[in-house]
């Protein structure tokens, strides 16, 4: 049997190099896809929460009928990742709930917050957004989003 010629060695080495680059590139993209999808969900969740907090501020500040606040929350009806929304007054009492808190205790995930923040708790992405009116904090919007759509995409 003859040793492989120069042409065979070149084809084999370029094929091996191409396969190595392809494997590394595919692994990197799969790894990055999860990070990018998580960042996109977080950005979307923050955006929805900021807008809802601004829409709910007049109803909470003027202590209007909850139907006014429900109309603002109705805009989120078609969002597939949204699990629940809770609006807390400044004293920590629940002003409004849209859908139910998935925790076993019922309200274990609701807490007032004086700053905007996002927390990842397993399959739950929770957004805390303070509600402001006339320069003072009058409440907190707490919204829970599911991370299951990200897991299905990856």
């Amino acid at each position: 049997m003859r040793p492989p010629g120069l042409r065979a060695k070149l084809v084999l080495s370029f094929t091996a190099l191409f396969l190595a680059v392809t494997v590394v590139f595919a692994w990197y993209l799969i790894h990055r896809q999860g990070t990018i999808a998580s960042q996109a969900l977080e950005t979307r969740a923050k955006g929805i929460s900021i807008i809802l907090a601004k829409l709910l501020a007049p109803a909470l500040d003027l202590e209007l009928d909850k139907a006014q606040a429900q109309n603002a929350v109705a805009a989120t009806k078609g969002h597939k990742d949204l699990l629940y929304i809770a609006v807390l007054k400044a004293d920590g009492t629940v002003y409004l709930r849209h859908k139910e808190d998935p925790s076993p205790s019922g309200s274990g995930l609701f807490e007032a917050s004086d700053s905007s923040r996002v927390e990842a708790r397993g399959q739950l992405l929770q957004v805390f957004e303070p509600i402001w009116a006339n320069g003072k904090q009058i409440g907190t919007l707490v919204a829970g989003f599911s991370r299951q759509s990200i897991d299905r995409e990856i």
Side-chain angles (χ1 to χ4, degrees):
M1 189 171 181
R2 294 185 9 214
L6 179 61
R7 182 184 298 169
K9 288 179 183 177
L10 285 174
V11 168
L12 187 61
S13 62
F14 279 113
T15 302
L17 180 63
F18 177 74
L19 285 175
V21 168
T22 303
V23 167
V24 169
F25 192 65
W27 175 81
Y28 174 76
L29 285 181
I30 289 171
H31 176 69
R32 280 293 287 159
Q33 182 181 8
T35 304
I36 292 169
S38 292
Q39 289 172 346
L41 176 63
E42 187 174 317
T43 301
R44 203 168 47 241
K46 279 192 225 176
I48 289 170
S49 299
I50 289 169
I51 291 169
L52 274 178
K54 291 182 188 303
L55 289 174
L56 293 169
L60 187 60
D61 186 35
L62 302 173
E63 296 185 15
L64 298 175
D65 184 28
K66 288 185 183 179
Q68 298 280 343
Q70 287 285 2
N71 287 339
V73 172
T76 64
K77 185 177 183 180
H79 197 285
K80 64 181 179 177
D81 295 324
L82 182 64
L83 297 175
Y84 64 87
I85 296 172
V87 178
L88 307 176
K89 293 182 180 180
D91 62 4
T93 60
V94 177
Y95 172 72
L96 173 75
R97 280 186 192 212
H98 178 69
K99 301 185 181 178
E100 286 300 314
D101 174 9
S103 69
S105 63
S107 64
L109 299 177
F110 298 157
E111 59 187 52
S113 177
D114 60 351
S115 64
S116 182
R117 71 179 202 267
V118 178
E119 292 180 2
R121 298 179 179 184
Q123 288 298 312
L124 179 67
L125 183 73
Q126 196 168 29
V127 180
F128 298 88
E129 185 64 39
I131 301 173
W132 297 89
N134 301 323
K136 67 176 186 165
Q137 184 178 353
I138 58 171
T140 303
L141 175 94
V142 181
F145 293 83
S146 171
R147 297 176 52 86
Q148 289 179 350
S149 65
I150 292 173
D151 293 341
R152 279 194 305 266
E153 288 176 13
I154 298 174

